[in-house]
């Protein structure tokens, strides 16, 4: 199985993957790949996450056999804030169209001192792009500094053309 093979609702992440990859970028911002329902308590207890911001759209959820209602209930039961800014996994243009709204949503969470896990599917493009935008907008970093900070800690390929 790979990232592009649809999974049924009961199929787990491939065994080689285990828990989602999580990278701490700052005291209040972590990025990585999508969590399953069973990962939510782990995010809270192991990473001290207080809020999750998902960039997955409906196609992403379907691809990975995830139910938005089930995830929302699991976040509610774990007393984690859950925000979703659905952005299609369709390249830089799709990210550019949604960047402002996503940036505002994650900024509100960090300004409220929430410890945010920001994720897309694999944590490779959308989440790192948004993290870099946040560090530039709110963290006082230049674009080059924010890019270096993220890439030093997290293997990724952010959409830099939309941030320049």
């Amino acid at each position: 199985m790979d990232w592009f093979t649809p999974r049924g609702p009961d199929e787990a992440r491939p065994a080689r993957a285990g828990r989602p990859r999580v990278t701490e970028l700052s005291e209040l911002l972590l990025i990585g790949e999508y969590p399953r329902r069973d990962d939510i308590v782990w995010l809270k207890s192991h990473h001290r996450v207080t809020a999750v911001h998902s960039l997955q759209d409906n196609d992403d959820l379907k691809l990975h056999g995830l139910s938005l209602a089930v995830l929302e209930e699991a976040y509610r039961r774990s007393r984690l804030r859950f925000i979703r800014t659905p952005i299609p996994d369709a390249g830089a243009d799709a990210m550019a169209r949604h960047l402002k709204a996503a940036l505002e949503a994650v900024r509100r969470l960090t300004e409220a001192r929430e410890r945010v896990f920001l994720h897309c599917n694999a944590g490779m493009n959308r989440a790192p792009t948004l993290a870099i935008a946040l560090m530039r907008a709110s963290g006082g970093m230049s674009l080059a500094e924010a890019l270096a900070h993220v890439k030093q800690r997290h293997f990724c390929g952010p959409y830099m053309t939309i941030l320049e």
Side-chain angles (χ1 to χ4, degrees):
M1 258 192 209
D2 58 27
W3 284 106
F4 304 105
T5 302
R7 294 176 178 80
D10 295 325
E11 289 184 74
R13 179 187 322 274
R16 71 185 186 305
R19 295 285 188 191
R21 182 173 57 123
V22 176
T23 302
E24 183 176 317
L25 297 178
S26 71
E27 175 190 356
L28 298 177
L29 185 63
L30 300 89
I31 63 172
E33 63 186 325
Y34 76 95
R36 297 167 300 191
R37 179 187 59 209
D38 296 343
D39 298 319
I40 293 171
V41 170
W42 173 80
L43 284 170
K44 184 176 181 177
S45 63
H46 189 75
H47 292 285
R48 302 178 334 274
V49 167
T50 62
V52 173
H53 185 179
S54 173
L55 302 179
Q56 289 182 299
D57 69 1
N58 291 339
D59 289 340
D60 295 326
L61 296 175
K62 183 178 178 184
L63 176 70
H64 296 294
L66 300 171
S67 162
L68 182 58
V70 168
L71 290 171
E72 287 173 332
E73 176 62 14
Y75 286 120
R76 187 191 66 71
R77 285 181 183 220
S78 294
R79 295 190 172 107
L80 290 177
R81 289 187 64 185
F82 177 65
I83 305 295
R84 184 170 172 245
T85 307
I87 301 175
D89 193 7
D93 290 342
M95 184 73 194
R97 285 191 298 276
H98 299 277
L99 183 61
K100 186 175 181 179
L103 180 58
E104 186 55 35
V106 74
R107 187 188 315 209
R108 279 193 304 270
L109 290 170
T110 58
E111 286 176 354
R113 303 295 298 164
E114 298 283 357
R115 185 165 162 87
V116 180
F117 177 57
L118 172 63
H119 75 85
C120 49
N121 280 336
M124 295 294 296
N125 306 120
R126 291 172 286 175
T129 301
L130 183 53
I132 291 167
L134 179 68
M135 293 178 160
R136 184 167 187 223
S138 301
M141 292 184 181
S142 70
L143 183 58
E145 290 168 332
L147 172 64
H149 182 84
V150 171
K151 288 197 80 152
Q152 205 170 49
R153 290 160 178 76
H154 188 81
F155 179 77
C156 60
Y159 298 123
M160 293 308 296
T161 56
I162 67 171
L163 298 176
E164 294 171 344

